[in-house]
Each structure stands twice: as C-alpha cells, then as structure tokens.
Amino acid sequence: MSERKDSWSDKKSSANQHIALPGKLRYIQYQHSLESQYLPAIRALISKDLSEPYSIYVYRYFLCQWGHLCFMALHPTDSSLIGVVICKLEMHSSHSPPTLRGYIAMLAVSAEYRGQGVATALVKMAIDAMIKGNADEIVLETEETNIPAMRLYERLGFLRSKKLHRYYLNGNSAYRLVLLLKESATDFCLD
Amino acid sequence: MVSLSKELMDLSINDPNPGPNFDAFQEPPPPALSSEGIVAQDITQRFLSAAATLEPGEIIKDGFFTLFESVGALEIMDPKMDSGCLAPGESLDDDYDVARPLLPSEVVGIIDQLLSLEMAWHLGYPLSQTIFTSVYIERMLNPAPRTLQDADFIKNGGDGSLRDPMHRALRAYCLGLLKSCFYVNERIKHEHSYEEEDFVTNTYNRSLLETIDRYEIRDEIMEARKILHETRHTLPDEMTHALGFRLEFRTAFLRAIELSELRSDPESLSLPWAQMQGVWEVINKTRHLGKPVPEAFSTKIQRRLASTMPPRPIVQPSPEETYEHFKKLIADGINVLNVLNYADSQSLLNFVLHFQAQKPQPLVYIRSILQNFLFNDMVILGRLSIRQVLDDDLSIVVLPSSLLLDPANDSVEAPHHPRYAIAHQMELFRQRAAQSYLDIFRAFCQNRCRVRRTLFHSLQDWEMVQTDAEEIDQLLQLQTEEKPLVYPPSGGVASHSLPLSSWAYHYKLRLMEWTVQLGFELEIYQPSELAGMYWYLSYLSKTRARHLERIKFFTTHRLEASLATTNINATAAAADGTGKINTASPHPSLQHARSQSYLHVTTLEAALTSELAAALCDLYTALDRLGLMQGTSRQLPYGTDALRYEVRMRPFVTVGLPELPTFEAFLDTVTQPGKQTASLLEGAARAAAHARAGLDRLLHLGSSGAATEVFAVGSLDRWVERVRGWNKAAVAVGEAASTVSKAIVAAGVAAGDDGVVAERLRVEVPRPDKVDNEWWIVPKVTEK
C-alpha cells in the first residue's frame, strides 16, 4: 500500500454537461518552468475527486523527477488546464530481476470535457514517453468502482493482475493493472 | 528533502480559504543551546543563502526519499493536512456538557449511534472516525482511568444511589462497549490480518479499559440494569425495555467473547451469541424510541489523539446497515463454533472454504475467532495435535490403513527395524509439510483478495513440498519393499505409488484451481479472457481428476494385497506374537471405506469442474467467433497477446507439473480453429449436460447421505447451496449454447459466415455477484 492514490473518475460526467471545444486541444509536456503557471491548476483538478488531497510534495516528487512523463491538455483558446497525467519511471527491484517499471500515478480530466478521448490521448502520450524511456512494464491502480477508467486502460492493452482489498481511504478496493512491454526473464514477480 | 521555501507559503496563501496568517520569516531567535560536548552554531544564514540558490519548487532529496515519504508529508496550515489548523473563529474543542441531564430517549439515541460507530470500526474504519468521536467516550478515556471509579465521563461522578439513572445506564453501556472493543482488538492483533486493509487496530494511545476487570464491568452493567428496573415506574415500559436490552446486549457480547477463548463445547459457547441474537432483534424494533444527540459526537476529538492525521469525517453506517451487519456478525459468531466439532480433516477444510466463501465475507473479528480456534498454541481446535490432523488427511487422501501412519512405529527402538526408519522418514515429512498444509487454512481466513495472492505464494512452496516428498517416498518404498505397478494398467510404465508426493501434488493442483476460480470471483479477468481461463481451469481439474484415479488405483491395489497378507499373517502373528511388517492399522475397513468415498467425491468434483469449464470455454469461443463478445478480436494499441498471456500466467511459470502451455499452444487449444462454430456449441451443450447429470449425482450424495459422505460435516448446508449454484450454472450454459445454436440455424448462414448471427442475439457477461455461483460466469444470451 505504498502507492495509495485515487484516480480519474468519470462518475459525474453525463452527455448533456459536455462542452464542445472551439478548436483542437493543445497537448504539452510539462516542464519545471511551468510550475507557477500550472501546478495550482493541476492540484485543483486532481484533488477535485479526492477526499484526501496530496501535499505539494507529492506533486513535486513526481514533477521534479519525471516532468517529461507528465502531459497536459490545454484549452485551445485560453490555455487553461483541461486534463493532466502524472507518472514516474524507475527500477523496481523488490523482485528479481529488477524491472524498469513505469507507474501512472494520477490522471484527471475536467468533468465537462470527458468522453472526448482526452484521457486516452494523455495516457497514450505518457505510455509512448515511457516506452521511449525503455520501460519494461507499466502499472497503475484504479478504484474498483471506476469502470470508465478500467475500460480506458484495458482498451489500450492493460490487464488486471490483482485486486487490492480496501485500498483507498474511502474503503473501496482497487485493481492493479499491468501492461507488459517486453518479455521478461524467466523469473517473475507475484506482488 | 523538499525545499521549504517561500513558494510553499505562496501556494498555501493561494488557497481560497486561507488559515490564519503568519509570517514564516518572522522567526523567533534561535534557542540558546548549552549542552556539554556540543558546540552550537547558528546555520540559519548559511541555510537561507543555500536555499536561495534553488529554483522555487526544486526538490533536494536523497535516494531513500520515496513516494511513500512524500505522501506522508504534511502541509502546515492546510486544514486538510494540518491537524492543528483551525478555521477563523473555530474553537479547538467542543463545549458539549457531558454532565447535563439526559432524557431516556437521548440515551437510546446515543447508544444507537454508538452501535453504528462500533460496526463501522468492525468494518475496517479507525476508532478515531468511529467510537472515539463520542464526547462521552473521550471523557471516559482521557485522562486514562485506572480503576472502575475513574472510568466515568463525569469525573468524581460518585457511585451512590443518588446518581442519575440515565447517566448510570449510559456509563455502564460505554464501559461494556469499550471492554468488548479491547478484547476484539486484542484478538485481531493476535491473529493474521492486514492492518488498515482489513482492520485498524490503532487505539491512538488510548487504553480500552485494559486494566479494569471484565467482571467488575459486567457487575456495573447489571447494577445499572437493576436500577433501571427499580425506577421503571418513572418511565414508559417500552423505554425501560429499550434501555435494558441495550445493556443486556453488552453483557452478552462480553460473555460471548469470554467463552470463545475456551474452544470447548460449541453448544455452551453459543448461548451468549444466541442471547445477542434475540436481544438484537428487540433493539432494532425499539430504535424509533431514540432521540439522536448529534452534538455528543465530534470530529474535533481526533486532534486530541496520538495521530498526525487531521480530523476526518465520522463514518457511520445507516441504522439499517448497522442492523444487517450486526445480525450477520452474530449469525457468523454462532456458525463459526461448528468448526469445533471435528469429524475429519477434509470436512474441516470444507468448513473453512465454505464459511469464508460467504458473501459478504464474515467480518475480521469472526475470521480471527476462526483462526484462534484453528491454530491457537499449535493445538488444532483446542484438542488435536497438528500431527493428528495431518495424518488424518494423509489417511483420507492417500494412505488409508497404512503402515506408514501406524503410531506403533514410534515405539520401535531398534534402528535397523524398517518401522524405525519409517517413523523417522515420516517425521521428516511432517516437519516439511505441516506448515504448508496449515498455511492453506490460514490463507482462506484472509480477505478474498488476499486469499488469491497468498495462494499464489503458497504455490511455489507446494512445488517444493512435492519435490521433497518424492525423495521421502523413494526412501520409504525401500523400507516397505513396495513393488512397482504398471500404471495406467492399459499400458504404462511400472511406477511406485509415491503416496506423499501424490498428496502434495493433489494440493498443489487444488491451489492452482482455487487461484483461477478466485480470479472469476474477484473479476480479475476481462470478458475476452474468459474462454482462455475456463480452458486453463478445465485443464487443471482434468489433470487432478486423472491424478486422483492414479491414487485410487494404487490405494486399492495396496489394500487388496494387504488384506490377503493380513489373512495369512493373522494366524502366524497369533502364533509367534511378533509384529509383522504387513500388519495394518486399526479399523482398516473403516479407513479404507472413508478414503474410497473421499476419492470418489473428489474425483467427481474435479471431473465436473473440468467438464463445465470446458463447456464454458467452447461457448465463449463460439460467441467470440460470432462477434458477440465485446472487446475481443481487436488489435490493442500496446503490448501483445503473448505478453498479456505472460502477465496472466506468471504465477504458474515456475510450476513443473502440469507444465504451462506455450502461448501458441494455448491459443490453438482455446480458439480451436479446426472446429466449426456449430460443433463447438454442440460440444458445449453436451459437456454442460454431462456436468448437470454428474452434479445431480453429487447433490444426491450430499442430500441423501450424511454430511460425512461428502466431507462437509458442519457445513453441509453451504456445500449443498454451492453445488446447487454450480448445477444452475450448468443448466444456464446448456441453455445459452442451444440459444446460440438455434440462432445459427435460423440465420441460415453458410458455415464460416458467422457475422450475421450477431444481429439476432444479445450477450451479456454478468458480474460475479449476479450469478448462481461466483466461480461460474455464464453469459446471458438473449434473442433480440
């Protein structure tokens, strides 16, 4: 339970709330110079669906080390934040042999822009960046009740590998999802 | 570490609801340090100038600062993280007066809220968000009471008869509540569960009346009830009853807890639980008499607890949920006692399997009682040694009336006597296998997600148990001078019976099947994986059914041979008085018969599992071909199907036997490209019909015979219920297959043109909580 998090939620979205965009969204990679402009918005967007907001250190933990694995979807005209994905990529060595494991930590899309493929586009960018970074596998957790999120990841090729009982503070369980990118050595991990 | 620069403060100030302002840079002067051996140096300026070179938001950390640490970090003055942060004008404490007179209806209201909070705690929420939100409880526990007199929300409230009976009743209730929480918490801490996942044992440095004797508390509750009785003329009858029953609930629960430590006669242990059951119904019926007192509960108390967490909301199930959960807790509390009636090792295992398979699963406390019954002090159920249970199991599965299990072997002292060597080898085996065997029981006492994961870990262990057992088998067969037999008789190679490794292999296969079945139950597999996973289940069960046939063959042969020699030796042994090697154990015929029934039932179960799983594989494959399964036959943007197979089958890669098929072989077997869709469906219908017929036989065994026949002593009802659900699944598979077959005929399409059928049918893959047996996910096929 070292990586507790809540994730993208589609619960509140419904067709009539959707706002049509006046043009194409801009997708950009995060960099540190954007912190003052976008970090407050990123926090606001992600903590919207969270009962337990992360401290600023959690965001900086990710963004300072793996800013290149964070992507933002921006409004075509006013450049406000519409969606964001935050990841990390590092050696995971609690099992042998160690693997270079990508982790999708947070994904959020502003409720009124859901259902237009924004989240999928963001996740694909993050996966592509992690593949470029030579990732062996990518994992994440998602709340058991968050069916749209699971669909999104499963359509991209993720599999549920295990269920985590009462993983979140609200008492909900989670699924661990895995996308294996390279054939692993004969050894394997169970946990 | 994280740079704690001005940037942080700026961000906090950006918060729309800022806390009280203070300037981080108006620092107090450094403390005057004077300690021997320490030369104090003010590094403030150096620190500030170093920090000034950093970009805002930059992180300086060492390699050991992990995500976990960053999640644990707090932001000072953020009300959601900083436990001391108060909104403007907010007070640190509540000013609820615990000494104020209470109406009887208010006492009922407070107690009923406490019951809901107690249940929330049982369900896994921390005390801080449940019982500890009560102002009465807080005043009672803080400062920590040492004596019964101290344990009062009105300090020096006096114990004389002058005391307000309503205060007295509420205090007695709280005493009983806290003491039972103490025992529940201790029991859970003592057994295996997952902190913060199943349950939170943290008491935040508050003692749950640990030092106060349970009988003192019981007497205090009795006294409060007596006083209620004496003052009954001042209250409406139903109000007196409502209060009295709530107090009785506490004494009964305390008594139930006390008795459950005994592990003795289930009948007498169940009395207080039965009392709770009756009282609980009355409590539920008198709920309307209560008047809620919401101001007697507060989230602010959490600030006084030993915790860095800022106050979190009170977690309180609705009265209806509270009623249902307690009702289930009590029913399970009574039911779990049945495990104490030991009949045989397989009934014991079935009891645990069926008890834990309930939906919802029994609460952690009940699961902990079960663990305590099973394992406390290494004495199974309070009266059996581990060896007794293990030997019982070996005798049922592989070694009925076998010399290897004869207790007389232990008393042979001559080192060259075969019995001496046998005793030694068997003891080695027991030492090797006992823990792994007991771990199966322990694993099934966990939450369902953990059961699956724990079994995956056990699988590697059992792989080694099997290997080690085979070595011991080979040593033992020298001692017993066992002759190899040709198996299968129709033309195999000569081999020995290998009883111990056969036993281990049987469990290893069961473990593998259970993990796959739990995958269905826990919705691990996507619909597109169901065909493949049912095929794999079928493969495992079929392997086990065949293995059981082999065990049966060797057991039967050994017993026939030994029966023949016993007849000869009986006269010889009577004449010379020596203990011949071929002497069988006591009650050979009983043990033999028991083993035969076990092998019969278990082989049947394995074969039926295989049959129905194969039917489902065919059905799902057919549906997939017809384009009726969503999300399959589609190129996914990332990864490959082979890599996904690797992820799914990872836990089985290290298993030697049965070997995991390659992805290509797996794909070929599951998709069956050589078979027409119509014949796949015919096959599915036929296999489902076979399964149905077999399940009818199995049910007949269970319902006509005694529970001993199907090894479900103590859990026959649940066994029957599960087999019925399984049977319904078989019926549903047959119906689904025939619906699809008919649609194919009706569409009148040529073979190979499957697409048209999709227009006529609708397929829904139900969720596990919507099927008759959660291990059988049968698709619902309807005509459009």
Side-chain angles (χ1 to χ4, degrees), chain A residues 52 56-57 160 175 184, chain B residues 2 11 75 312 522-523 646:
Chain A
E52 213 47 31
I56 191 158
Y57 309 117
R160 298 177 202 181
Y175 284 101
S184 58
Chain B
V2 176
L11 276 162
E75 235 169 291
R312 291 179 50 77
L522 295 171
E523 246 181 320
E646 188 184 327

Side-chain angles (χ1 to χ4, degrees), chain B residues 159 243 312 361 443 455 458 478 482 495 650 687:
Chain B
D159 57 347
L243 287 164
R312 291 179 50 77
Q361 217 189 342
L455 292 178
S458 301
L478 293 175
E482 184 189 327
S495 63
R650 257 174 192 175

